Amino acid sequence: MAIRPILVAPDPVLKQKSLPVEGPVTDAHRRLMDDMLETMYDAPGIGLAAIQIGEPLRIIVMDLAREGDPPEPRYFVNPEILESTETTLPYEEGCLSVPEVFEEVQRPDKVRLRYLDYNGKPVEEEASGLYAVCIQHEMDHLEGVLFIDRISRLKRENAMRKLKKARKEAAL
Ligand code: GNR
Ligand code: NI
């Protein structure tokens, strides 16, 4: 297992669309998922898409367990949203690729999803609450979309200014 560097906006790689895993889920995919989980725990974050470590594959890891509770790693290969509610809820989101920016985003409050798990087994389930927020945030990454693309232009421009300033200071 290895902790890998997390890409930060405006890195153009984060705008790439990720490709489906073709064929079975292999040990190489599981090694990538292991690295992603370790990278996510180290950050720390509650979810991570493969593109955030530069791998343009439709793979996501997540752990929504509270601090102090036993870990609950979740793995998603080729996730698809089958159905979303019309009703939306706001949630203050952050992103490891958009450090120090937190803004409210409106998303459907419940989604039905299908994916392959760590062992390549197909799963279908419903997500609500933080699970629904996080899976939709992560699936946006697979399309090259960041949560700041879903906020007002003024807020996004402020966020980008903050990111560029932080990057400039880090480079000094
Ligand atoms: O760690 C994360 N926290 C978070 C909080 C609210 C909504 C979404 C997230 S996902 C984020 C990790 C991340 O950037 N995943 O892509
Ligand atoms: Ni993110």
Side-chain angles (χ1 to χ4, degrees):
M1 297 237 282
I3 295 168
R4 315 232 320 228
I6 296 175
L7 305 182
V8 172
D11 191 318
V13 173
L14 291 166
K15 305 259 81 180
Q16 282 183 31
K17 276 200 183 190
S18 296
L19 295 172
V21 169
E22 304 288 355
V25 175
T26 65
D27 286 342
H29 297 121
R30 281 184 277 273
R31 273 196 294 275
L32 172 60
M33 290 191 265
D34 293 345
D35 284 356
M36 287 169 62
L37 197 73
E38 195 180 357
T39 302
M40 183 192 83
Y41 284 145
D42 176 69
I46 59 172
L48 193 78
I51 194 67
Q52 292 179 277
I53 58 166
E55 300 279 352
L57 281 173
R58 302 184 83 83
I59 296 179
I60 289 164
V61 298
M62 195 185 296
D63 190 329
L64 303 177
R66 286 165 205 252
E67 223 180 289
D69 284 357
E72 289 170 27
R74 305 175 194 224
Y75 307 89
F76 305 84
V77 176
N78 297 345
E80 291 170 81
I81 288 179
L82 305 172
E83 229 181 306
S84 316
T85 50
E86 293 284 339
T87 49
T88 63
L89 275 178
Y91 194 89
E92 183 156 284
E93 299 197 13
C95 181
L96 295 172
S97 297
V98 190
E100 288 170 58
V101 175
F102 300 90
E103 292 291 348
E104 242 177 37
V105 179
Q106 285 276 350
R107 300 187 188 271
D109 56 352
K110 228 188 250 179
V111 295
R112 184 151 194 87
L113 63 138
R114 177 161 64 201
Y115 59 92
L116 304 176
D117 70 9
Y118 191 80
N119 296 308
K121 189 177 69 115
V123 180
E124 225 183 276
E125 66 193 11
E126 203 158 85
S128 60
L130 183 57
Y131 185 19
V133 171
C134 196
I135 194 67
Q136 292 178 85
H137 173 114
E138 302 310 334
M139 287 183 67
D140 270 354
H141 279 297
L142 307 184
E143 300 303 317
V145 174
L146 300 173
F147 82 97
I148 51 171
D149 299 324
R150 296 192 179 278
I151 63 182
S152 74
R153 182 174 134 190
L154 179 66
K155 285 182 177 170
R156 178 168 54 254
E157 284 171 354
N158 283 336
M160 290 308 293
R161 197 171 307 120
K162 195 167 169 183
L163 281 172
K164 284 176 182 163
K165 183 163 174 271
R167 167 173 298 209
K168 209 165 161 186
E169 282 168 4
L172 289 179

